[in-house]
Amino acid sequence: MTVLPFPICPEPDEAAREAGRLMFAGPVDFVKGVVAMDGLPPADRLELCFAGRSNVGKSSLINALTGRKSLARASNTPGRTQEINYFALGPSRYLVDLPGYGYAEAPRPVVEKWQRLLKGYLSGRQTLRRAFVLIDTRHGVKAVDEEILTLLDRSAVTFQAVLTKADKVSAAEREATVQQVRDTLARHPAAYPELVVTSSEKGYGIATLRAIIATLE
Ligand code: GTP
Ligand code: MG
């Protein structure tokens, strides 16, 4: 088997960085919170979603990207985001904040409902262009992540790994997680072959992610 190297995404060139900056400096508006598949907005624009375990930092990353502190509700309490939250980024894109997975504290029927919705969305949204799958740099890929990655493979949805909370670890710990993530991605055909290391707190990787989002077609 050929193992792809899965490099960390290089710094964007000046044009891509500027495109990202401009797009995110423009309007970003909350559209709606969706609780069932039939509540999804019309599939009429390119869509990017943020998936990951509860508390990994999905909502915080959306806030960091948009430079709006409380656009998406972030919280220390796992299971904060319980709906599929749609944000319109300019006239041509949706950013989608998903409920986390792998959180077992909420009542079981509630958890099952979110999980069904999440899986339905990830496997059945035609305009979903790329899923960013967030991995906590302190913890690496867990079994519940594998389940989601396999679902994305089966649905042929390209996903890109985004390491979060990089400010919380040493360079050596970060390197160990990057390596573990690479080993995982090598087993998933839908993996985009570059990963992004971020900190919503310190701003690492934010310009890179903005550039990726702005230049996707
Ligand atoms: P759910 O909606 O419950 O699935 O969680 P989420 O993935 O949206 O996580 P959220 O953005 O709410 O962040 C969870 C916690 O992690 C919050 O206390 C954030 O302040 C913290 N956090 C998120 N990103 C970072 C980061 O880059 N660095 C640090 N130090 N803390 C972070
Ligand atoms: Mg959230």
Side-chain angles (χ1 to χ4, degrees), residues 53-60 72-75 77 79-83 85 97-100:
R53 292 169 65 217
S54 292
N55 212 45
V56 70
K58 300 175 290 296
S59 301
S60 300
R73 231 171 125 203
S75 140
T77 318
R80 169 56 62 207
T81 307
Q82 307 187 354
E83 302 177 337
N85 286 315
D97 187 16
L98 294 170

Side-chain angles (χ1 to χ4, degrees), residues 100-211:
Y101 49 79
Y103 171 61
E105 302 290 308
R108 206 177 147 142
V110 175
V111 173
E112 281 172 1
K113 184 165 174 267
W114 301 343
Q115 302 308 296
R116 258 203 315 280
L117 178 63
L118 175 71
K119 290 180 180 174
Y121 171 79
L122 287 176
S123 57
R125 182 68 168 168
Q126 271 187 348
T127 43
L128 178 57
R129 179 67 172 74
R130 187 174 297 180
F132 294 108
V133 178
L134 277 52
I135 307 289
D136 191 320
T137 311
R138 295 170 301 175
H139 307 313
V141 178
K142 301 285 183 188
V144 277
D145 294 311
E146 289 280 1
E147 206 187 308
I148 296 293
L149 301 185
T150 301
L151 176 87
L152 292 167
D153 288 338
R154 288 201 190 116
S155 315
V157 173
T158 301
F159 69 85
Q160 182 159 23
V162 175
L163 274 59
T164 62
K165 309 191 189 184
D167 58 287
K168 289 201 170 195
V169 298
S170 67
E173 284 174 286
R174 188 188 64 220
E175 205 32 57
T177 301
V178 165
Q179 204 43 58
Q180 189 239 8
V181 171
R182 284 182 176 139
D183 294 344
T184 302
L185 297 182
R187 297 193 300 272
H188 290 279
Y192 186 80
E194 285 174 352
L195 47 98
V196 187
V197 178
T198 67
S199 164
S200 299
E201 192 94 0
K202 303 280 187 216
Y204 314 150
I206 299 301
T208 301
L209 215 43
R210 283 182 185 146

